Amino acid sequence: MHVLEGVVRPYAWGSRTALAALRGLPTPSAHPEAELWFGAHPAAPARALDDDVDLLSVIETDPAAQLGAACANAFGDRLPFLLKVLAADEPLSLQAHPTLAQARAGFARENAAGIPVDAPDRNYRDDNHKPELVVALTEFDALAGFRDPATTVDLLRDLQVAELDPYLGLLAGQPDSHGLRALFTTWITLPDAILHALIPAVLDGAIAYLNRGDRRFATELQTVLELGEAYPMDPGVLTVLLLNRLRLSPGEGLYLGAGNLHAYLRGTAVEVMANSDNVLRGGLTPKHMDVPELLAVLDFATSAPADLHPHIHVLGAEKIYSTPAPEFRLSRIDLDGTGLQRSSSISLDAAGPQILTVIDGTIEVRSHTGEVVSVSAGHSLWLGDADPDVVVRAASSSAVFFRALVPAPRPVADGLGGTAHAERSAGGAGFSSRA
């Protein structure tokens, strides 16, 4: 067992209060703090406080003991997931992630072309896909997945913007994924002269809509106005009109598979993802955008908001967020130190690699060998495969922590003539927890 100190990533869109407060530090922080990484990503591995060594080194020293045979057979000698706490005060870019097959092909292609891995115009920095799950800690706003085209046609008509009429016809005449692809492709490739006339007209139409007191699309159009102010003349402002606008309450989750165009807008959440840095951007950013590659990756199938929420399976004190991702499974555990309202302790097996991240209060973790460690909010605990089973109890009046692990795999076709792995069942695979 190792108590971990996370690594802060100071991206400009981050918060000056959320992550500092989580770690018990003064606020506001000197710089925006966007993400707190708990993992073994080479760019920023978490540090094991007891041995003053990073988690990447802990794993590399003895991968068999730390990861276990099942994890190593499926993913090699590296931790397959990255766990973060994310705090957004400003919107992130519109982006999508490739499938495993697309990532492998793209990474090989760019290597063959001699593009440095750290080049700003590089699309594929590794050969892995990047499914991801966020679970809200506060109200969490996001854009994710293409909305039902019929509803989007209603929205565009309600704007009453004459400049939109030619584009409205593209979708009204073909209200399906093909029409969405045609409209998105048209908008993201518009010449600047047209774009610089269309976006202001759309923003004026949004203002007029809100001033009329119409409410059906008020949240969506308020978001368009906010993003239009933050990213003037960015084609992503138009794309926002096509996407689901979501607000997660604390405890709700959002799962994003390959090809899902999305952007996180604001809020604090726990995020877990496959250990990859492959991002295809679609707007709301000054960074590199490769439109042909983005179009090759995007999935234009429509999604209802409910389709994007993971199934939640409750077992005692543990709330499990089930997804099809083979690299991770995430759960939230709420303990009551008084034992009056909820369980005060929970038993966890240590099969495979696990990270326990404390969000509120303090937990005490005791192994059957007698080892005891305390972990306070803003820190994590690493449990390797060779570590004994543990009992976790609340060492404060209440405690909340998240548990990330690698679910037990089963072979499935990966689209490349080989095999990948998937979770054996929703919520049950690789899981042994006794409240």
Side-chain angles (χ1 to χ4, degrees):
M1 295 191 293
H2 295 281
V3 177
L4 301 178
E5 182 178 59
V7 179
V8 171
R9 306 295 277 178
Y11 308 134
W13 47 263
S15 168
R16 291 178 182 266
T17 58
L19 297 184
L22 174 65
R23 284 140 53 224
L25 300 178
T27 59
S29 57
H31 305 285
E33 296 179 330
E35 296 178 345
L36 184 61
W37 286 21
F38 292 107
H41 194 288
R47 179 156 294 276
L49 294 177
D50 48 350
D51 289 343
D52 194 28
V53 63
D54 65 60
L55 183 57
L56 186 62
S57 299
V58 170
I59 294 172
E60 289 177 341
T61 299
D62 193 350
Q66 297 300 324
L67 300 178
C71 179
N73 289 340
F75 304 107
D77 291 344
R78 64 179 181 180
L79 184 65
F81 65 81
L82 174 60
L83 184 66
K84 307 176 180 179
V85 183
L86 179 151
D89 267 5
E90 298 179 8
L92 284 67
S93 62
L94 283 167
Q95 57 189 261
H97 310 300
T99 65
L100 183 59
Q102 289 167 336
R104 290 177 178 175
F107 185 66
R109 184 172 61 250
E110 293 185 344
N111 283 347
I115 304 173
V117 173
D118 59 353
D121 60 344
R122 177 104 186 194
N123 295 316
Y124 298 96
R125 301 184 187 278
D126 53 66
D127 63 353
N128 202 13
H129 64 166
K130 193 183 177 186
E132 58 189 51
L133 167 68
V134 294
V135 176
L137 298 176
T138 65
E139 282 196 341
F140 192 84
D141 292 331
L143 298 162
F146 288 98
R147 187 193 304 108
D148 173 63
T151 304
T152 297
V153 168
D154 288 345
L155 186 158
L156 297 179
R157 283 177 173 153
D158 285 358
L159 273 172
Q160 300 178 23
V161 174
E163 290 87 344
L164 277 177
D165 288 348
Y167 310 105
L168 174 58
L170 282 176
L171 192 58
Q174 195 173 20
D176 56 20
S177 61
H178 301 290
L180 284 169
R181 175 182 285 275
L183 180 53
F184 176 85
T185 304
T186 300
W187 276 350
I188 203 170
T189 56
L190 281 176
D192 285 348
I194 298 177
L195 196 66
H196 291 184
L198 181 58
I199 290 179
V202 168
L203 298 180
D204 288 343
I207 293 171
Y209 179 96
L210 295 171
N211 286 339
R212 290 196 298 270
D214 293 339
R215 304 308 306 164
R216 181 182 180 190
F217 299 114
T219 301
E220 288 83 352
L221 294 177
Q222 183 62 49
T223 300
V224 168
L225 288 173
E226 292 170 359
L227 295 174
E229 181 177 353
Y231 300 96
M233 305 310 161
D234 188 308
V237 175
L238 299 175
T239 300
V240 170
L241 295 167
L242 308 178
L243 302 177
N244 292 301
R245 172 63 163 82
L246 306 174
R247 171 164 289 175
L248 305 182
S249 297
E252 287 188 312
L254 175 64
Y255 176 72
L256 300 166
N260 186 308
L261 188 63
H262 62 278
Y264 301 143
L265 301 177
R266 64 179 65 84
T268 303
V270 170
E271 181 179 28
V272 64
M273 61 184 63
N275 207 351
S276 172
D277 197 24
N278 289 326
V279 176
L280 282 302
R281 295 180 180 86
L284 309 182
T285 179
K287 294 182 180 180
H288 170 67
M289 285 175 49
D290 184 333
V291 173
E293 192 65 23
L294 174 68
L295 291 171
V297 163
L298 279 184
D299 182 357
F300 287 92
T302 60
S303 303
D307 298 336
L308 302 171
H309 298 305
H311 173 72
I312 296 176
H313 172 65
V314 178
L315 187 59
E318 189 158 20
K319 178 186 293 185
I320 304 163
Y321 298 85
S322 300
T323 77
E327 289 86 358
F328 59 77
R329 196 191 69 205
L330 185 69
S331 58
R332 172 178 167 142
I333 300 171
D334 288 63
L335 298 177
D336 178 6
T338 68
L340 297 176
Q341 297 182 355
R342 296 184 300 275
S343 299
S344 61
S345 66
I346 187 170
S347 298
L348 306 177
D349 74 3
Q354 300 184 58
I355 296 177
L356 313 182
T357 295
V358 183
I359 298 301
D360 182 55
T362 301
I363 60 173
E364 181 185 88
V365 184
R366 181 185 298 269
S367 74
H368 67 72
T369 62
E371 183 180 4
V372 180
V373 297
S374 292
V375 189
S376 58
H379 294 80
S380 291
L381 183 72
W382 168 260
L383 292 173
D385 180 74
D387 286 321
D389 294 354
V390 298
V391 175
V392 182
R393 74 171 187 87
S396 52
S397 59
S398 63
V400 178
F401 68 95
F402 282 79
R403 180 192 190 197
L405 53 75
V406 180
R410 66 174 174 84
V412 296
D414 67 357
L416 295 172
T419 59
H421 292 83
E423 192 165 346
R424 185 155 46 220
S425 64
F431 172 74
S432 176
S433 178
R434 302 165 296 279

